[in-house]
Amino acid sequence: MLIPLSLYIHIPWCEKKCPYCDFNSHMAKTQVNEPAYVAALLADLDRDLADYRATLKNRTLSSIFFGGGTPSLFSADSIDAILKGVAERISFSPSIEITLEANPGSAEANKFIGFRQAGVNRLSIGVQSFNPAHLKALGRVHNSAEAIAAAGYAKDAGFDNFNLDLMFGLPEQSIEQSTSDLAKAISLNPTHLSCYQLTIEPNTLFHHSPPITPDDETLWQMQTSLQARLGEAGYQQYEVSAYAQQGRQCLHNLNYWQFGDYLGIGAGAHGKITLEDDQLMRNWKVKHPTSYLKRADQNLAFAGASELVKQKDLAFEFMMNALRLSNGFSLELFEQRTMLDRRTIAAYLEKHQSQGLINIQDQQVIFTTRGKVMVNSMLQDYLAD
C-alpha cells in the first residue's frame, strides 16, 4: 500500500509579525515579488521530484496546504499559477484537499472568490479571538467585525469547508471571555475549529516580555469547558487541538499525525519522505526568503539540510505524532509507516495498558481518558537510549 503524500507550500510574508509567533514569517516591508517567488516554488518542487523520483513514482497528492506567514496576502492569480504549476508536475488525487491559510485582515470577497476558482477548496482563517483587547494584545491586524466578515466571504465564495483558528489562555483572559469567543466562533458554523492554548515560545516578543496569562487551574477550566461546548455543538475532537463536524477532519494534518509523507516547498519548509529502500528522509529548505530567492536566481539547490532518521528513533517519531490522535492508531499503521515490527513496542504497550493509559481492541491502540492527559509520560518510554 502506498503511503499518502501531501504537499506543504510556505508563503513566509506577513503584514505584521505577531508577538507570540515562532513560525518562519517575515514582515513584508516592500511589495513582494510574487512572480519570482512562484517561479522559485516550482523550481523547488522540480528539484524534490527529481531527487525523490524513484519513491514518488505512481504517487498522487492527497492534500496541499498553503501555510505561512499569511498566504492570503498573495493574489488569487499567484495561487492559481502555483496550483497549475504543481498539477503539471504531479498528479492530484480526485478527492484532493487544498487548504489556504487566510488572515481576516487580508480577507476580501473577490480575493476569496479567486482562491476558490484557482482550486482552493478549504480555507483556514486565523481569527484567534473576537475580543478587541485580546486582539490588540496578540498584535493581530484585524478586528472582530473583519473576522466575522471573513467567514461570510468564505461561504459566499463557495467554500463549504473552512476552519477557524481560535486561541485561549490569552493575556488576562477570563473563563467567560474564552467562552464568549467560542460561542461566537460556533455561531459562524465553520466545519472545523482549531483551538489552541497560547504558549510562550522562545525567540518571540512574548518570550522576552512575557504577558500575564491565566493560571493552570483557569486554563484547565477553559480547556474542559471548550471541549464540552464543542461536543454539544456537534464537533468531534480528533486531535489534541482540532475539532471537526462529521467527515470534515483536516486530511492534510491527519497525514502528519498518521506519519504520512509530505513534500515541503518554500522558504523554511520541511519535508518527510519514505525512500525506496524503506529509509525515512527529512529535509528542510533555506529559511530566509531573500536567501531562498537567491538560490532560485543562481539555480542552486533549495535544501538547507537533510537527514536520514535513525532506525532507533522511528518508534519515537511515530508516537510523537500518533499520540496526538484522539482515536489512537492501528498496529498495522505503525508497521506500515515505520517499517518496524509491532513487537518492537509490545513491552511499552503492555506497560501503558497495565497503567490504564491505553486499551488495545482489534489491533487498534485506543487512549483512555487518563491516557489523553498523560501523553508526555507515554512518549518518554519511546525515547531511544
Side-chain angles (χ1 to χ4, degrees):
M1 182 186 297
L2 292 175
I3 295 174
L5 178 68
S6 297
L7 174 65
Y8 174 76
I9 302 172
H10 193 69
I11 310 289
W13 291 281
C14 282
E15 193 173 330
K16 178 184 176 185
K17 181 78 170 179
C18 297
Y20 59 86
C21 178
D22 69 336
F23 295 150
N24 182 35
S25 59
H26 305 263
M27 191 168 78
K29 297 178 182 177
T30 59
Q31 185 72 26
V32 174
N33 187 339
E34 293 185 23
Y37 194 72
V38 171
L41 287 171
L42 296 177
D44 189 357
L45 179 59
D46 282 335
R47 284 189 174 268
D48 274 359
L49 294 175
D51 289 344
Y52 303 119
R53 182 183 294 109
T55 192
L56 296 177
K57 186 179 179 182
N58 299 324
R59 296 174 73 179
T60 61
L61 287 177
S62 60
S63 66
I64 298 174
F65 195 102
F66 288 88
T70 307
S72 58
L73 285 178
F74 266 37
S75 68
D77 285 345
S78 290
I79 299 302
D80 182 61
I82 294 167
L83 288 174
K84 282 180 176 164
V86 173
E88 289 169 357
R89 290 161 170 79
I90 186 168
S91 297
F92 289 8
S93 160
S95 58
I96 190 169
E97 172 193 270
I98 303 176
T99 301
L100 183 136
E101 289 184 336
N103 188 325
S106 60
E108 301 169 14
N110 287 338
K111 186 178 268 193
F112 277 16
I113 291 170
F115 292 151
R116 187 69 190 89
Q117 290 174 341
V120 177
N121 54 26
R122 184 177 182 273
L123 289 179
S124 182
I125 303 171
V127 171
Q128 315 310 354
S129 176
F130 295 94
N131 183 297
H134 295 140
L135 287 170
K136 182 178 179 180
L138 292 173
R140 303 298 289 172
V141 297
H142 68 272
N143 57 38
S144 178
E146 288 171 326
I148 295 167
Y153 295 156
K155 293 174 186 175
D156 292 344
F159 287 98
D160 62 354
N161 190 11
F162 70 96
N163 168 68
L164 297 181
D165 272 350
L166 203 64
M167 298 176 78
F168 67 95
L170 305 180
E172 301 186 24
Q173 186 182 41
S174 68
I175 295 171
E176 292 73 23
Q177 288 170 328
S178 172
T179 300
S180 175
D181 269 351
L182 181 62
K184 176 59 70 176
I186 291 172
S187 74
L188 298 174
N189 196 31
T191 50
H192 189 286
L193 274 159
S194 297
C195 300
Y196 302 91
Q197 179 186 325
L198 171 66
T199 54
I200 308 300
E201 302 289 354
N203 303 315
T204 63
L205 287 175
F206 273 179
H207 185 259
H208 294 293
S209 301
I212 298 171
T213 54
D215 58 34
D216 287 346
E217 178 58 32
T218 302
L219 288 171
W220 178 249
Q221 289 184 51
M222 287 179 177
Q223 172 80 34
T224 53
S225 173
L226 177 151
Q227 290 172 320
R229 286 174 179 268
L230 283 167
E232 291 165 3
Y235 292 88
Q236 176 193 8
Q237 183 178 15
Y238 68 97
E239 186 265 332
V240 170
S241 54
Y243 303 77
Q245 293 176 352
Q246 185 68 34
R248 294 298 196 173
Q249 294 89 341
C250 177
L251 300 182
H252 189 86
N253 286 344
L254 270 178
N255 192 40
Y256 286 157
W257 309 140
Q258 293 174 342
F259 214 49
D261 283 351
Y262 52 94
L263 298 169
I265 59 173
H270 286 234
K272 167 195 166 290
I273 293 293
T274 306
L275 302 178
E276 63 274 14
D277 59 2
D278 287 342
Q279 292 193 86
L280 193 153
M281 174 72 79
R282 290 195 181 278
N283 67 27
W284 49 98
K285 308 301 170 63
V286 290
K287 193 171 183 181
H288 200 280
T290 301
S291 301
Y292 182 84
L293 286 166
K294 191 176 292 185
R295 296 282 181 107
D297 289 339
Q298 298 173 354
N299 198 28
L300 297 173
F302 295 90
S306 61
E307 64 178 12
L308 289 171
V309 178
K310 296 181 178 67
Q311 189 178 41
K312 66 184 179 65
D313 296 327
L314 283 169
F316 173 77
E317 290 232 8
F318 176 89
M319 290 296 176
M320 191 165 56
N321 290 280
L323 289 180
R324 296 180 63 97
L325 295 168
S326 299
N327 294 330
F329 61 92
S330 71
L331 294 174
E332 181 182 5
L333 185 76
F334 171 80
E335 291 184 330
Q336 184 203 24
R337 303 295 161 87
T338 64
M339 287 69 66
L340 298 173
D341 191 289
R342 66 188 68 185
R343 287 174 293 186
T344 60
I345 60 170
Y348 301 135
L349 294 178
E350 243 178 73
K351 173 185 174 181
H352 297 151
Q353 192 164 24
S354 69
Q355 292 174 330
L357 304 179
I358 64 170
N359 289 315
I360 302 177
Q361 300 172 5
D362 299 324
Q363 306 304 307
Q364 179 82 10
V365 178
I366 302 168
F367 306 116
T368 63
T369 301
R370 183 165 181 255
K372 288 177 182 178
V373 296
M374 297 286 286
V375 166
N376 289 338
S377 174
M378 283 192 280
L379 193 55
Q380 290 296 316
D381 285 335
Y382 294 95
L383 273 170
D385 295 331

